[in-house]
Amino acid sequence: MAIRLDKWLWVSRLYRTRTLATQAVSGGKVRVNRQPAKPARVLRLGDEISLHRGDESITVVMRGSVGQRVPAKAVSALYEETADSIAARLAARERHALTGWSGFAGKGRPTKRDRRALDNLTKP
């Protein structure tokens, strides 16, 4: 059964909504058989799909397709993640566990105490 790329990404639960899947494909974050793809690209069994979600990259091989979104337990029949992809994700998780996530950890504006701490760090 042939199915559109954006719909398959949504059906297989790799993206939460079909709109997010379409935006990711249009934004160049998804490749099919190492080639850039469009949302309406028709997938065939055995196609290799590489995608970037946040900080992680995932490469899967399409093993099945259905017309409607499937329960989470049935997702394993739709694709198989490659061994290289699994190893890369585990290595990235270990790196993040040792070094921590980068970026701003707080929420909103810094408090007066936080601002003073930042000022003390930046003063010569």
Side-chain angles (χ1 to χ4, degrees):
M1 171 183 200
I3 189 169
R4 288 173 51 113
L5 174 60
D6 60 344
K7 187 171 183 180
W8 185 84
L9 290 170
W10 170 69
V11 165
S12 62
R13 296 181 177 266
L14 291 169
Y15 284 95
R16 188 179 314 224
T17 65
R18 189 166 174 187
T19 303
L20 289 175
T22 303
Q23 290 172 353
V25 175
S26 298
K29 298 187 183 299
V30 179
R31 292 177 163 260
V32 177
N33 297 326
R34 299 185 181 155
Q35 300 294 321
K38 293 183 179 180
R41 161 96 187 241
V42 176
L43 292 178
R44 309 255 185 256
L45 294 178
D47 281 349
E48 182 179 277
I49 298 120
S50 303
L51 55 109
H52 297 282
R53 286 187 313 189
D55 292 338
E56 62 182 10
S57 297
I58 302 171
T59 304
V60 297
V61 177
M62 181 181 174
R63 296 291 180 212
S65 69
V66 291
Q68 295 182 346
R69 193 165 167 119
V70 297
K73 292 180 180 179
V75 167
S76 60
L78 296 179
Y79 65 85
E80 178 182 338
E81 189 171 4
T82 62
D84 293 337
S85 175
I86 294 170
R89 277 193 312 115
L90 292 177
R93 284 185 183 168
E94 288 177 11
R95 276 195 313 274
H96 288 301
L98 294 175
T99 62
W101 294 95
S102 62
F104 180 67
K107 294 181 180 178
R109 292 177 56 182
T111 63
K112 190 172 189 177
R113 181 178 177 192
D114 295 336
R115 184 185 50 79
R116 287 182 176 157
L118 287 170
D119 287 344
N120 288 335
L121 288 174
T122 57
K123 287 183 182 176

